[in-house]
């Protein structure tokens, strides 16, 4: 009847209200926290205004191949994250692999909600759901230490269908997807992957832009 229509209909906001506020149960297929947060910031459907800043801990089985080509390795990681999380690769940014320089995002171009720079008039109400880590890795020295490579990444415009509780279980998919570009020459280079420093940090667009520019200023100030 009407309850089913509201809970299972195409209006994601109404569906989330029904599940979270009426049934008092988590939505089975939507991240309603993201829906409500994006709506509060003034964004409409598909409510994909949030960016996450996360860390990976990769168990590297072939450090020579992993360290040989920065561009190839970072591209493989970005491709792996996009595949494992089912998002477009152009929404994934590898900020840094420990031991390599920081890849600062191009937050100087405004191209709409969910990008690195958005309407700074929103900044006063754009509040992080969790506080992001602010410490970068060393940008020189070994890449693989005791068999592990550490990576900091950003994923833009997170879809509401990506349930946070599902992410850790996607690590096996991530490992396979990272290895794919290496297989024809080197075989597997990563034995296992972990979404480290879990849970994710979530930020709205203008807050992410402000955070990244502040981090960049601190980095330049040395």
């Amino acid at each position: 009847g009407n309850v089913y229509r509201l809970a299972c209909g195409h209006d994601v906001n109404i569906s989330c209200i029904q599940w979270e506020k009426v049934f008092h149960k988590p939505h089975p297929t939507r991240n309603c926290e993201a829906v409500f947060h994006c709506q509060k910031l003034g964004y409409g459907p598909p409510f994909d205004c949030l960016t996450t800043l996360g860390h990976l801990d990769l168990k590297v089985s072939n450090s020579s191949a992993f360290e040989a080509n920065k561009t190839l390795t970072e591209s493989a990681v970005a491709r792996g994250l996009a595949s494992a999380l089912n998002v477009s690769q152009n929404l994934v940014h590898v900020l840094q692999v420990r031991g390599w320089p920081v890849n600062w995002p191009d937050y100087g171009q405004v191209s709409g909600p969910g990008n690195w720079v958005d309407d700074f008039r929103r900044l006063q109400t754009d509040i992080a759901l969790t506080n992001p880590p602010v410490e970068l890795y060393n940008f020189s020295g070994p890449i693989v230490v005791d068999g592990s490579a550490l990576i900091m990444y950003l994923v833009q415009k997170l879809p509401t269908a990506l349930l946070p509780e599902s992410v850790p279980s996607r690590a096996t998919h991530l490992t396979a997807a990272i290895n794919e570009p290496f297989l024809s020459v080197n075989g597997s280079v990563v034995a296992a992957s972990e979404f480290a420093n879990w849970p994710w940090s979530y930020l709205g667009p203008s807050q992410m832009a402000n955070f990244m520019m502040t981090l960049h200023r601190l980095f330049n100030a040395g």
Side-chain angles (χ1 to χ4, degrees):
N2 189 51
V3 171
Y4 176 85
R5 180 180 60 80
L6 293 174
C8 303
H10 295 297
D11 188 319
V12 176
N13 184 51
I14 295 297
S15 180
C16 278
I17 291 172
Q18 194 73 14
W19 278 94
E20 302 277 336
K21 310 297 185 184
V22 179
F23 299 159
H24 301 289
K25 293 182 178 180
H27 199 292
T29 62
R30 296 289 178 175
N31 179 358
C32 290
E33 189 175 13
V35 172
F36 297 147
H37 190 66
C38 290
Q39 186 186 50
K40 182 179 178 181
L41 294 178
Y43 296 101
F47 302 108
D48 59 353
C49 76
L50 296 184
T51 295
T52 187
L53 189 153
H55 297 258
L56 295 176
D57 185 349
L58 304 183
K59 303 306 178 187
V60 179
S61 54
N62 186 338
S63 58
S64 296
F66 189 90
E67 296 173 341
N69 187 316
K70 177 178 183 290
T71 300
L72 174 62
T73 296
E74 291 178 343
S75 176
V77 170
R79 180 183 182 278
L81 280 166
S83 178
L85 301 176
N86 195 26
V87 298
S88 171
Q89 189 171 335
N90 65 9
L91 300 178
V92 178
H93 182 83
V94 175
L95 184 62
Q96 189 187 15
V97 176
R98 180 185 57 188
W100 280 334
V102 181
N103 303 306
W104 296 107
D106 181 10
Y107 43 73
Q109 295 181 349
V110 179
S111 52
N115 291 281
W116 305 122
V117 175
D118 199 9
D119 186 356
F120 274 85
R121 290 172 297 180
R122 298 180 185 269
L123 190 57
Q124 297 305 312
T125 57
D126 194 355
I127 300 171
L129 304 187
T130 55
N131 293 321
V134 295
E135 189 171 338
L136 294 166
Y137 303 129
N138 293 331
F139 50 89
S140 61
I143 312 303
V144 179
V145 178
D146 296 329
S148 291
L150 302 180
I151 296 162
M152 191 183 305
Y153 63 90
L154 305 171
V155 182
Q156 234 182 312
K157 294 176 70 64
L158 287 165
T160 60
L162 179 59
L163 299 178
E165 60 269 24
S166 76
V167 173
S169 66
R170 299 172 186 241
T172 300
H173 183 154
L174 173 63
T175 300
I178 291 174
N179 280 323
E180 192 168 327
F182 295 98
L183 290 176
S184 62
V185 177
N186 299 293
S188 295
V189 300
V190 174
S193 305
E194 178 187 355
F195 288 93
N197 296 89
W198 190 256
W200 271 341
S201 298
Y202 292 99
L203 300 98
S206 56
Q207 185 168 23
M208 175 55 79
N210 185 60
F211 167 72
M212 289 305 304
M213 285 189 272
T214 300
L215 187 63
H216 202 167
R217 284 197 300 270
L218 292 172
F219 175 83
N220 288 337

